[in-house]
Amino acid sequence: MLTKTFRDIAFGPSLVKIERGYFRMGSDTCPAEMYRDETPARERSVDYRFSVGQYPITFEEWLPFVREAMPSSPLRSFVEEVVRRHALLPAVMVSWHEANKIGRAHV
């Protein structure tokens, strides 16, 4: 169950707390559009509390990080162009390592 949203820093994203507990992942039915590893349904546990963004990070929110952390990267011009046209689209093509750097920059 989601809790109230909060921000850990003034300019950071809206976050929700995820409590410890169990949930069911996957499905016992197998529609044609499912991947094989999405079935059967199984119980999974969350062993610790954590917070996660309420909404996906947008290109507009990602751009300041790209400008600071990757000033000469070809990715910067791509992100700037996307922001000019579609600033509020969820950011895509973000690696786990880039997302981790963004997270550490907000701590």
Side-chain angles (χ1 to χ4, degrees):
M1 180 156 119
L2 297 179
T3 60
K4 291 183 184 177
T5 63
F6 69 98
R7 293 181 192 277
D8 59 350
I9 53 176
F11 56 87
S14 178
L15 301 171
V16 293
K17 290 180 183 175
I18 307 297
E19 298 294 334
R20 293 171 29 162
Y22 295 89
F23 67 97
R24 288 190 60 77
M25 179 174 79
S27 175
D28 288 324
T29 63
C30 192
E33 56 276 347
M34 282 181 88
Y35 292 104
R36 282 189 175 187
D37 63 355
E38 294 175 328
T39 188
R42 55 235 180 242
E43 190 171 88
R44 293 292 184 238
S45 66
V46 176
D47 298 328
Y48 50 90
R49 296 179 348 175
F50 63 96
S51 298
V52 65
Q54 182 180 16
Y55 304 107
I57 299 296
T58 65
F59 276 102
E60 185 174 54
E61 294 168 321
W62 190 38
L63 181 56
F65 171 80
V66 171
R67 284 180 172 155
E68 183 177 324
M70 299 179 263
S72 58
S73 170
L75 184 62
R76 178 182 173 166
S77 58
F78 169 77
V79 174
E80 288 173 334
E81 180 62 25
V82 172
V83 168
R84 279 192 285 280
R85 295 171 185 236
H86 310 286
L88 300 180
L89 283 178
V92 294
M93 300 181 351
V94 180
S95 73
W96 181 90
H97 297 287
E98 290 164 343
N100 195 28
K101 287 178 189 175
I102 293 168
R104 281 185 277 143
H106 286 294
V107 173

